[in-house]
Amino acid sequence: MTATRETSPTAFTVDGTRCAAWITLPDRPGPHPAVVLVHGLGATHDMMLSQYEHHFATAGIATLAFDYRHTGASGGSPRQRISMRRHRADVHAALDYLRARDDIDANRIGLWGTSLGAMHALRVAAACHDLAAVVVQCPIVYGPAAAARSGPRAVARLSPAVIADAARILLGRKRRYVPIVAAPGATAVVTVPGALDGWNSTTPPGALFDNRIAAANALGLATVTATRHARRITAPLLVCVSDNETLMDPRHAALVAARAPRAAPPATTPPTTSRSTTRPCSPPCWPTRPTS
């Protein structure tokens, strides 16, 4: 096993806004292969990513984690502006940051995404044809289906806030916020049973989970998709589904794997994480079958 160095804070900029980032290197001479860690909805670096950083670095792979603009330790105003297009731009910028480092092998850079971060990883991989590999776990890959899981009543409860926030944007007023996650029956983007406990379980003592989203941004979550872009992913791809799926029908993830030209072939027992997508980030868990 390879020892790891301490995780070091760093940063990169996207359209003039600072993205806070953290790099973890294996404790041996480089240049190293590297992975950008792309986390889920509302998650920040504090929420369990350190486990993955050290897991990868121990295996000899450097990692770059970051907070999306408008969230966590990164800059950007208004806060909690969760834009799918901006998130993808942040991932592209993270890849560029790694490519420019002398201690990173630019020919061996991959993407790892979890939950909604899997959506971004897949979309970016469809546009970047120099990636060494892509791995997604507990993937949210089809926004309309994820929204439908909440049911029509949840959508109806959320709609007035979305309309109000859209009006505030037009009038140049402060944004209208709603919770990202809440208990069933509440007004929030995610209200499936167990979701609130799942999100809270990823927040260690002393960390802050800003459980807000600018309401109109929920439209982007409900319309974004990776399934239409899967055929353009040229990197080797591993799709890991969870065995307690709640936010996404696993058939959509299977469709991505079927369409991607270099996806790992399906196993008799699909690779699972033994986790649930009611968490934006789950603890590291080996797949149920070995992969190369």
Side-chain angles (χ1 to χ4, degrees), residues 25-289:
L25 299 172
D27 192 15
R28 66 185 185 190
H32 308 286
V35 173
V36 175
L37 303 181
V38 189
H39 51 57
L41 175 60
T44 63
H45 177 256
D46 289 340
M47 298 169 70
M48 302 187 80
L49 281 188
S50 63
Q51 299 180 53
Y52 288 95
E53 290 167 335
H54 292 282
H55 183 80
F56 278 113
T58 299
I61 302 171
T63 63
L64 180 72
F66 67 95
D67 286 348
Y68 300 112
R69 283 175 292 169
H70 304 272
T71 70
S74 292
S77 181
R79 303 306 293 170
Q80 296 302 110
R81 179 184 182 184
I82 297 177
S83 159
M84 302 298 95
R85 178 181 60 82
R86 286 172 174 260
H87 281 191
R88 291 195 297 272
D90 295 348
V91 178
H92 279 289
L95 289 170
D96 289 341
Y97 171 87
L98 283 179
R99 293 183 184 111
R101 287 183 64 108
D102 292 337
D103 52 3
I104 298 300
D105 184 346
N107 294 315
R108 294 190 293 165
I109 296 176
L111 288 173
W112 171 94
T114 185
S115 191
L116 186 64
M119 175 82 75
H120 303 322
L122 292 167
R123 289 289 299 269
V124 170
C128 292
H129 302 300
D130 61 346
L131 296 174
V134 180
V135 177
V136 294
Q137 67 171 27
C138 310
I140 303 296
V141 299
Y142 188 54
R149 279 288 176 108
S150 297
R153 291 183 179 179
V155 173
R157 287 192 298 269
L158 190 60
S159 295
V162 172
I163 295 169
D165 188 40
R168 286 171 176 263
I169 294 172
L170 293 175
L171 296 172
R173 298 174 62 185
K174 290 183 179 181
R175 301 294 296 269
R176 167 78 161 86
Y177 292 95
V178 294
I180 293 172
V181 59
T187 299
V189 174
V190 180
T191 58
V192 297
L196 182 58
D197 289 340
W199 252 262
N200 288 336
S201 72
T202 69
T203 307
L208 176 64
F209 168 41
D210 190 348
N211 188 16
R212 299 180 301 155
I213 180 174
N217 290 151
L219 291 174
L221 298 173
T223 57
V224 69
T225 177
T227 55
R228 294 200 307 267
H229 303 267
R231 290 188 176 92
R232 299 204 298 271
I233 299 173
T234 57
L237 171 66
L238 176 64
V239 178
C240 301
V241 298
S242 65
D243 55 7
N244 295 305
E245 193 65 60
T246 55
L247 296 184
M248 176 63 59
D249 189 327
R251 289 179 297 178
H252 296 292
L255 180 61
V256 168
R259 289 179 173 177
R262 301 180 67 189
T268 304
T269 301
T272 69
T273 65
S274 298
R275 305 295 178 192
S276 166
T277 50
T278 52
R279 294 181 176 188
C281 187
S282 296
C285 180
W286 288 109
T288 55
R289 69 180 180 101

